[in-house]
Amino acid sequence: MDLDFDRCYRAVSSRDVRFDGQFYTAVRTTGIYCRPSCPAITPKPGNVTFLPTAAAAQQAGYRACRRCLPDASPGSPEWNVRSDLAARAMRLIRDGAVERDGVAGLSATLGYSTRQLTRTLTTELGAGPLALARAHRAHTARTLIETTTMSMGDIAFAAGFASIRQFNDTLREVFDATPTQLRTGAQRRAAVPTPGAGTVSLRLPYRPPLDRTWLTWFLSAHAVPGLEHWSEGVYRRTLGLPHGSGVVAVRFDDTHVLAELSLGDMRDLATAVSRLRHLLDLDADPVAVDDALRGDPRLAPAVDAAPGIRVPGCVDPQELLLRTMIGQQISVGAAATHTARLVAALGEPITPHPHLTHTFPDPTTVAERGREVLTGPARRVDAVIAVAGALADGSLSMHVGRTRAELRSDLLSHRGIGPWTADYVAMRVLPDPDILLDTDLVAVRGGDILGVDLANSTPWAPWRSYVSMHLWRVALTARGALSTTPDEENHR
């Protein structure tokens, strides 16, 4: 990554929180690395180096600042804007691919040799895949140490370390503290009781501003009973994760999202957090997006009305695709009803919960038994079953490491998936910030209200997905539908 020294130093000098997570400041005289907004005295220019990732700083022998906790900053928006190999690898590493499948599995998923991948990541990001994964493990371990009462041994293996010794050595090296010292310090700072094993309470940071109204409407309007629930400002849903199921509850705050995760297997913590951040688009740089779109005077009123609008992602690409296909040509409310029947009949039951009952069924189950539950036009049911079968046998691959062109092409090769569905799914799965849903009926209405020509969208690149959200918001607001009441308009 090309980090301009003068631009980075200006951000550090002004303690600009917008750049937290976009790069890291390594201070040679102290041997620590910080986020740009660190409140400590600004180091002299000759004493600092700017690095693209926390892993690069750790690889170079720097330890994390105890004051600003740089590993806990928002993620870089680079990994969503870029679609090159390094960015796609970073998305998969954040999702836990190295812990599950090793570097060889990560390389195979991306279609490169291990040597090629390691060389590219080291050149681009200052660290190879193992070092990048190690940085994520260290952050996960610190989170578990500070927010649960789990034993250190359980935490070590839940975070993905191969041994207790590796766990202890890594934390001393990265944080200059033992696991016990980290827990003691957290207990002194704690303002609320520490939850027990199996439950983690976290603050997920983001770069302000954030348009809560839009996310509130989107999550509540599309909530599927039994799978999701929105009530009194809290969004809850079940999660199907690599090692088991979980339940999450999130609430928006001014500078962060409060998340409470109840997991069947703590090895899924890092993956669950990554998918939540993806769902809520928490790694976006809203100031950069808004400033760019305000450059078009026709879009400026929409941006000013909803600064910090986000593009909702997803927690499970396969779930998103099947739900989108089930909802084609029917209202949002009807789609939720049809999906709820599928979840109740074929989903995996969870521990009794006041509002949630099942996880979303896996593609194999939908392919085998979906006809027992799905209703509607036979062509749509056939298409859903066929795509579920393709997901189950691996002939259709859905993950965040794919390119938009490849994913879109594969989706369009399946009967029942048209351009709107392919673009909508790609926008939310990858996530891709530059897809304009210019054939969407509600987006077209929004364009008419603003007086913009959707056929001439090049000036809005690379933020056209955000334009799609603004167009939806404008159209829904104009008819009084932007609320926590599900919208009955067909978006397709």
Side-chain angles (χ1 to χ4, degrees):
M1 292 171 63
D2 183 19
L3 296 175
D4 180 82
F5 187 93
D6 292 338
R7 180 171 177 264
C8 291
Y9 194 76
R10 284 195 301 271
V12 171
S13 299
S14 61
R15 295 174 173 79
D16 192 334
V17 297
R18 183 163 66 95
F19 291 94
D20 286 353
Q22 301 202 39
F23 67 86
Y24 296 85
T25 306
V27 185
R28 287 188 286 274
T29 50
T30 61
I32 66 172
Y33 71 95
C34 304
R35 60 171 78 194
S37 67
C38 183
I41 296 173
T42 303
K44 295 178 181 179
N47 293 335
V48 301
T49 299
F50 299 114
L51 299 169
T53 61
Q58 295 168 19
Q59 185 94 327
Y62 294 92
R63 67 180 187 274
C65 175
R66 296 185 187 179
R67 192 169 180 182
C68 69
L69 302 177
D71 59 311
S73 61
S76 174
E78 282 278 330
W79 317 135
N80 295 345
V81 176
R82 292 167 49 173
S83 60
D84 59 5
L85 174 59
R88 291 185 285 119
M90 277 297 293
R91 295 178 206 159
L92 288 168
I93 291 170
R94 289 190 309 185
D95 194 55
V98 173
E99 282 72 21
R100 292 193 298 272
D101 305 315
V103 176
L106 172 67
S107 303
T109 298
L110 292 166
Y112 287 81
S113 70
T114 299
R115 179 177 295 181
Q116 283 177 299
L117 178 63
T118 301
R119 183 170 59 244
T120 298
L121 293 181
T122 302
T123 302
E124 290 280 325
L125 308 180
L130 282 176
L132 291 163
R134 175 177 177 266
H136 283 278
R137 284 197 293 271
H139 174 55
T140 300
R142 185 174 65 81
T143 299
L144 290 171
I145 289 168
E146 296 182 347
T147 62
T148 76
T149 57
M150 292 172 64
S151 71
M152 295 303 177
D154 288 344
I155 288 173
F157 293 108
F161 289 96
S163 68
I164 299 294
R165 180 176 179 178
Q166 185 189 66
F167 164 72
N168 289 328
D169 291 347
T170 297
L171 266 62
R172 275 195 294 265
E173 182 180 338
V174 172
F175 302 115
D176 193 30
T178 66
T180 300
Q181 288 171 331
L182 289 173
R183 175 162 284 173
T184 301
Q187 289 170 344
R188 285 198 300 264
R189 298 190 303 268
V192 295
T194 303
T199 300
V200 185
S201 295
L202 303 174
R203 293 185 174 191
L204 307 181
Y206 61 80
R207 299 175 183 87
L210 180 141
D211 180 18
R212 298 189 201 183
T213 301
W214 176 244
L215 281 177
T216 295
W217 178 85
F218 198 96
L219 294 174
S220 61
H222 295 83
V224 171
L227 180 73
E228 301 164 291
H229 183 262
W230 178 279
S231 176
E232 299 179 349
V234 179
Y235 171 70
R236 297 176 175 86
R237 71 154 291 151
T238 62
L239 299 170
L241 296 163
H243 300 100
S245 62
V247 171
V248 63
V250 298
R251 183 193 300 270
F252 299 112
D253 207 330
D254 291 338
T255 58
H256 56 269
V257 171
L258 293 167
E260 184 171 289
L261 285 145
S262 298
L263 303 175
D265 191 319
M266 278 297 170
R267 288 178 295 173
D268 288 323
L269 176 64
T271 299
V273 170
S274 174
R275 294 181 184 183
L276 280 178
R277 297 192 66 81
H278 178 186
L279 172 67
L280 303 175
D281 195 15
L282 297 185
D283 292 330
D285 183 351
V287 174
V289 175
D290 291 353
D291 286 350
L293 297 184
R294 283 194 186 98
D296 187 329
R298 300 165 300 173
L299 286 178
V303 176
D304 291 338
I309 202 167
R310 295 305 206 266
V311 179
C314 68
V315 296
D316 185 331
Q318 297 178 334
E319 173 193 315
L320 174 66
L321 175 57
L322 295 177
R323 285 178 61 169
T324 302
M325 294 183 69
I326 290 170
Q328 289 180 127
Q329 307 303 322
I330 57 177
S331 70
V332 172
T337 299
H338 282 269
T339 306
R341 292 195 197 109
L342 186 74
V343 168
L346 305 181
E348 187 71 24
I350 65 165
T351 302
H353 186 281
H355 306 290
L356 307 173
T357 60
H358 298 77
T359 59
F360 192 84
D362 63 84
T364 300
T365 303
V366 175
E368 293 174 352
R369 299 184 53 201
R371 293 187 193 280
E372 301 171 14
V373 184
L374 294 173
T375 59
R379 290 181 62 183
R380 184 171 70 219
V381 173
D382 290 343
V384 172
I385 298 300
V387 166
L391 292 170
D393 65 24
S395 59
L396 176 57
S397 178
M398 300 281 293
H399 59 74
V400 294
R402 304 210 62 187
T403 67
R404 182 210 305 180
E406 291 172 347
L407 179 58
R408 191 176 189 275
S409 176
D410 282 358
L411 290 171
L412 289 174
S413 69
H414 290 269
R415 183 175 298 176
I417 299 180
W420 184 95
T421 299
D423 285 338
Y424 176 79
V425 169
M427 178 181 72
R428 294 189 61 190
V429 164
L430 293 180
D432 193 312
D434 198 31
I435 294 177
L436 182 68
L437 301 177
D438 53 0
T439 62
D440 181 272
L441 297 179
V442 177
V444 169
R445 287 199 196 103
D448 291 341
I449 292 171
L450 294 175
V452 297
D453 180 8
L454 302 191
N456 183 27
S457 65
T458 304
W460 304 330
W463 309 119
R464 282 175 280 198
S465 297
Y466 293 90
V467 174
S468 296
M469 299 302 103
H470 279 299
L471 296 175
W472 278 355
R473 197 182 194 282
V474 165
L476 294 168
T477 300
R479 66 163 194 261
L482 191 62
S483 67
T484 56
T485 301
D487 169 57
E488 293 300 324
E489 182 68 27
N490 172 22
H491 279 205
R492 287 99 182 149

